[in-house]
Amino acid sequence: QETKFGEMSHSHDCGGHHHHEQHDHAVSWSLYKKIDLYKVQCMNESEDGSGKEVFKAWEQRLDKSKFVESDCDEELLFYVPFTGDVKLKALRVTGGENGQHPMELRLYKNRPPMGFDELSSEADQVIQLSIDPNGEVEYPVKWACD
């Protein structure tokens, strides 16, 4: 399956009331190892290859030394292929400092790599993002129930 994302770090987290429980679930359900990082594409990145670096293992999610910035405007376009079938249930977006954080994320499910000209088609889901420098807010993905 292929999904396009905006700037983000992601995990599938079943939640929990105890912090240790939440961490255990996030690590065990993380889709990080299912991302085909070699084939990830990011358009509009100011530094080639930096888009691939925002997808991180749970333990490295707060490492701000690896990030992506847009080169000419405020939009980035990611193509994120997986190594097999996955069921993306939720994601987290870790923003930068000083307001450097995406405000909206448009998701496109099971589509080939797209260019900015093809973004006129309706997204499968649009998520309004909160400023979240620590990636604590979890955004449910609607097609998890499909």
Side-chain angles (χ1 to χ4, degrees):
Q1 291 200 2
E2 301 161 347
T3 305
K4 288 154 194 69
F5 297 101
E7 177 182 23
M8 62 168 245
S9 166
H10 80 276
S11 72
H12 167 157
D13 181 358
C14 293
H17 299 292
H18 187 269
H19 178 61
H20 185 262
E21 242 177 62
Q22 184 175 7
H23 177 265
D24 288 346
H25 285 287
V27 171
S28 63
W29 289 102
S30 174
L31 292 178
Y32 172 73
K33 291 181 179 179
K34 301 277 188 183
I35 297 173
D36 190 343
L37 287 172
Y38 180 75
K39 295 181 181 175
V40 168
Q41 297 174 19
C42 180
M43 294 181 68
N44 255 13
E45 61 190 344
S46 61
E47 185 179 325
D48 285 345
S50 62
K52 293 179 182 191
E53 295 182 348
V54 299
F55 298 96
K56 303 171 187 171
W58 177 258
E59 298 80 16
Q60 298 169 343
R61 71 193 182 284
L62 297 178
D63 177 2
K64 305 273 177 136
S65 66
K66 296 180 180 178
F67 59 91
V68 63
E69 290 181 305
S70 180
D71 64 354
C72 59
D73 60 28
E74 295 183 2
E75 290 190 329
L76 293 167
L77 177 61
F78 285 87
Y79 169 72
V80 183
F82 294 97
T83 58
D85 289 339
V86 298
K87 189 169 191 176
L88 183 65
K89 294 186 177 187
L91 55 88
R92 294 174 188 230
V93 179
T94 303
E97 304 298 325
N98 302 319
Q100 294 181 346
H101 194 284
M103 301 307 294
E104 181 178 271
L105 185 64
R106 289 178 273 170
L107 302 175
Y108 299 86
K109 179 182 175 184
N110 296 331
R111 300 197 194 180
M114 299 167 61
F116 283 101
D117 293 340
E118 294 142 321
L119 292 180
S120 60
S121 64
E122 186 176 342
D124 293 296
Q125 184 173 358
V126 178
I127 300 172
Q128 299 303 315
L129 302 174
S130 301
I131 294 176
D132 184 13
N134 295 316
E136 296 171 346
V137 178
E138 185 171 280
Y139 300 95
V141 176
K142 74 177 183 178
W143 54 76
C145 299
D146 291 350

